[in-house]
Amino acid sequence: MLHFRTEGFNGCAVKYSPFFDNRLAVASSANFGLVGNGRLYILELTPNGIVPYKWFTTQDSLYDLSWSEIHENQLLTASGDGSIKLFDANISDYPVQNWKEHNREVFSVHWNLVAKDRFCSSSWDGTVRVWSPHRPHSLLTLPTHSCTYAAEFSPHSPDILSCVSSDSYLRLFDLRTPASASNHLSLQIPIHAGPGGGGGGVVVPGGGPGGGGVAPSEALTMDWNKYRPSTVATAGVDRTIRTFDIRAPGQGPQTVMVGHEYAVRKVTWSPHLSNVLLSASYDMTCRAWSDQSPPGTVGDVDVMRAGPGPNMGVELGRMGQHTEFVTGVDWCLFGSEGWCASVGWDESLYVWDVRAVMG
């Protein structure tokens, strides 16, 4: 296990480079992101451990980052002042581009993996915006009317993106549809619908809330499965990870994974295994899970349920090295499957092998 200290700055997000097997980046904030500067670290893995390649200090907190899919040295940051900045690792001191249209903190940025000339951002101002790195203004604004913590393009389609927000909905936008009154909104899934959070979910094509059941709590994170195009995982304040099949949204969650003691801040599906995901939580642990679907599955599958409710996922192992909230975790795309990195409010970045904690 490798360790790097982000001294004076509390980690908020970590991402491996999609171009270099030895490079990763950390978005961090002074004073736990409440007030003060932010810092973007670009780090390299060497035989002597983790060494800083470059860092940029910003005027406001940094909450998220995303590597460019078209330029190996560039990456985006999401800032507390409502701005999105594009940095180049080979250019000193200043961002090479800056966008500022959000009215409140930008909490996530994500580069489209298919149509690589665009990216999206989500904000506490209740909007998701779609951008091009070649244009000074956003291409599209998608209203959610709720504090939106995470948004991602599907890795399988250039025109589908999803987001989760404080009103506990998973929303899907299809940019191919006419905008009309729904602003491209094609599905709206109540994460907490139905008794016990499973079953009975109501989907309202084109908008409008629906669904009953347990009291909703804020959804903080989501991720698309890399092998099954219709599967999305969500998690948040209620400590529960859920997976949904967007082909059958009214059925409620496919799988529920319970075990974290505090809010789940980040979930990310494995790029190597179709049924494994990682989570990072305020309970100071990272955990690996199986959603109990057949391993090695590529393409959409119908996950067989053991009963009328959702399947129960299985915790495969946990990493408890952090001593404060764990806010970010990411898988390495390269080398032997299983390496990942995690960051937290303890000013620590750890690079570790998931297979070791899975036994």
Side-chain angles (χ1 to χ4, degrees), residues 27 38-40 42 56-68 73-89 93-102 106 108-111 119-121 131 133:
R39 181 169 287 176
L40 170 66
I42 300 172
F56 299 91
T57 303
T58 58
Q59 287 189 327
D60 213 314
S61 303
L62 298 182
Y63 295 127
D64 196 22
L65 74 158
S66 181
W67 286 94
S68 167
N73 292 312
Q74 293 184 351
L75 64 171
L76 296 164
T77 59
S79 180
D81 64 3
S83 70
I84 302 163
K85 294 176 170 62
L86 182 69
F87 289 93
D88 191 306
D93 300 334
Y94 300 107
V96 293
Q97 275 182 272
N98 185 74
W99 298 270
K100 193 174 188 307
E101 293 182 21
H102 286 293
V106 182
S108 80
V109 283
H110 184 259
W111 209 287
F119 60 90
C120 67
S121 61
W131 311 79

Side-chain angles (χ1 to χ4, degrees), residues 57-261:
T57 303
T58 58
Q59 287 189 327
D60 213 314
S61 303
L62 298 182
Y63 295 127
D64 196 22
L65 74 158
S66 181
W67 286 94
S68 167
E69 289 290 325
I70 54 177
H71 194 301
E72 68 271 18
N73 292 312
Q74 293 184 351
L75 64 171
L76 296 164
T77 59
S79 180
D81 64 3
S83 70
I84 302 163
K85 294 176 170 62
L86 182 69
F87 289 93
D88 191 306
N90 291 334
I91 296 176
S92 297
D93 300 334
Y94 300 107
V96 293
Q97 275 182 272
N98 185 74
W99 298 270
K100 193 174 188 307
E101 293 182 21
H102 286 293
N103 298 320
R104 292 198 62 194
E105 291 87 339
V106 182
F107 215 63
S108 80
V109 283
H110 184 259
W111 209 287
N112 194 317
L113 301 179
V114 184
K116 300 186 178 186
D117 59 345
R118 66 179 92 155
F119 60 90
C120 67
S121 61
S122 72
S123 169
W124 293 4
D125 67 5
T127 66
V128 173
R129 292 178 187 260
V130 178
W131 311 79
S132 166
H134 309 300
R135 300 201 179 183
H137 303 291
S138 61
L139 305 176
L140 204 58
T141 300
L142 306 170
T144 65
H145 310 293
S146 187
C147 176
T148 308
Y149 289 109
E152 278 188 19
F153 278 102
S154 166
H156 309 281
S157 169
D159 298 304
I160 293 177
L161 66 88
S162 62
C163 66
V164 290
S165 48
S166 59
D167 63 358
S168 187
Y169 276 89
L170 168 65
R171 290 178 172 85
L172 279 89
F173 296 91
D174 188 338
L175 306 185
R176 297 166 297 188
T177 62
S180 66
S182 67
N183 288 286
H184 303 287
L185 183 66
S186 58
L187 282 181
Q188 190 165 253
I189 303 174
I191 294 171
H192 292 83
V202 176
V203 181
V204 186
V214 296
S217 62
E218 293 189 313
L220 303 177
T221 178
M222 51 83 44
D223 192 37
W224 290 88
N225 189 290
K226 310 304 187 291
Y227 294 91
R228 305 201 304 270
S230 66
T231 301
V232 181
T234 69
V237 172
D238 72 346
R239 314 184 298 277
T240 303
I241 303 166
R242 296 172 175 85
T243 70
F244 292 90
D245 187 334
I246 61 173
R247 297 170 302 167
Q251 292 181 5
Q254 281 184 307
T255 305
V256 172
M257 288 159 261
V258 179
H260 277 297
E261 297 165 30

